[in-house]
Amino acid sequence: MIVRLLALLLVCLPVAAVAQTEEAPAEGEELEELPPPERSRKLKKALKKVKDKEWPVASLALHKVLQDEEDAYYHTEVRYYLAYTLEQMGLSYSALEEYNRYLLDVEPGHALIPKALKRSVSLGRQMEAGWILAPGLARLDTSLVTKGLQGPAMYWVGRHHFEDGNLMVAQAYLSLVPKDTEYYAQARMLEGITMVSGGKPVEAIAPLTAAYQAADRYGVDQRTWEVANINLGRAYYAIGNFERAIEHFEATPRESALWFESLYEASWAYFRLGRLSGALSHLQSVDSPFFKGTYHPEATLLRILIFYYLCKYISGQEMLDDFTEEHYPIQEALDKAIRKAESDPEALFDALYAWKTAKKDTKLKLPDPVKQWFSTDESLVAIGDYVAGIDAELAAIDRLKTGWQKSALRKDLEGHLKDRKRDAVEDKGREALAKLTSMHAVLGGHLGSSELYKVEMITAEKNIYDAAYQGRLMDRIATRKADSSVQQGYRFWPFQGEYWVDELGWYEVNTINECLVITK
């Protein structure tokens, strides 16, 4: 048996060695690449139509090639030319989808990548729809993008990674946005926000300052300046430089949608500095009737906290009663909206978009303070407008009388565009739902804390009464007087519950600390 096995080995080994020698290339020798297959007659005709600029006929011919496995080797190339053809036909939304499919499927090194990057980024820039191309761009070498288009490409990819939570990668792309592009200020701002999100507020100062300086406060990118400014204030707040934080918060223009938020955040900075009158001064504006309906539970609770530190227990208890009376119904309405939106995120998007663009309500009812909370979310409008653009393009195609509107290509494009609509709306709806769920949880925590604050206020007030009865109070509140000095340029005007819109942001609260020393 052993002899037979050895004989078999002796016979087989040389054969295997010979076979290996014949199949394997010599050391240092490269494998010979097979030539590409011959283009079919159908493909050649389709490309001829592209060359002759017969766009409708070319698009139909290219689509037929994509359905035929005979030219599978060339399908990626055909996808690019189909996108290009649709773009020339004025079907921008359809073209962008096809460019996106090309970017998602193409292998690195494909000859048409530079052209595809140039045309797709240019079209995405015109349509303000870079979010569609970002996933495909993220898998390619974006250095191949034409110099003039690197700004939007790097910004879109950086934002894509930021939204996916890849903060380090996002920061790298955002830092590459050229300074001579309209995306520079936005990129540096988002880079700074990325650093703050990653727990690096000190490092965030430089990019946020660059965005603050690059954006035109009074120009088309005023909104970018305002967001950069308030985030710069937040970065200074995070590192404990409350004075600088106040400078930026108070620089927010009165007409800005962020002014209310800036007043509130400045109040916190004053509070952290121990300047309670300064904090109450801004909160006086925040709690004015002009901001009635604005959702700001944290601002009210901060005011209550300051009253507690000033030992104004009776006023604090009254404010707590008002707080719970106002916010328990909001919590119930939030709970109902969340339950409905969980089964239909699209309905939540529709409700927010209808309110933001036309101030209309839909079947999904949301409390006004909740809708106001989304007032600065510009992506709601961007996505809603893009969806409306898709509908308009499909309607325009249906009005054609050339037969193209009944083609298989038209059905294919409609399917992809409808998928895009559904995904965009549902994704934004889920994002809004996550915000509402977080909002509901935070509000629940605030309401729970407010009940504890009531107990604290009542207990502290009882201790004062007990000490007064036992004769252990060192002084009386009645002996204290507010500082009557008024700085130059100001006029003392006692507040009697009357608000004027031009006074907002200028109030100076001059209150008395009512805390009393109790002897043991």
Side-chain angles (χ1 to χ4, degrees), residues 116-137:
L117 289 174
K118 181 178 180 179
R119 299 219 63 89
S120 62
V121 173
S122 180
L123 183 60
R125 187 185 202 175
Q126 293 171 27
M127 300 173 67
E128 297 183 357
W131 52 277
I132 289 179
L133 299 173
L137 291 172

Side-chain angles (χ1 to χ4, degrees), residues 280-335:
L280 287 173
S281 298
H282 281 321
L283 291 173
Q284 186 75 20
S285 296
V286 168
D287 281 338
S288 73
F290 294 101
F291 289 114
K292 187 176 181 180
T294 301
Y295 185 75
H296 60 92
E298 293 86 357
T300 304
L301 289 176
L302 175 58
R303 192 175 192 186
I304 292 170
L305 179 63
I306 293 172
F307 272 50
Y308 177 79
Y309 277 109
L310 294 173
C311 302
K312 298 177 181 292
Y313 303 125
I314 296 176
S315 298
Q317 290 176 60
E318 292 173 352
M319 291 170 65
L320 280 169
D321 289 338
D322 292 341
F323 178 83
T324 52
E325 183 179 349
E326 178 184 355
H327 286 85
Y328 272 120
I330 292 177
Q331 187 189 38
E332 292 175 7
L334 261 177
D335 190 56

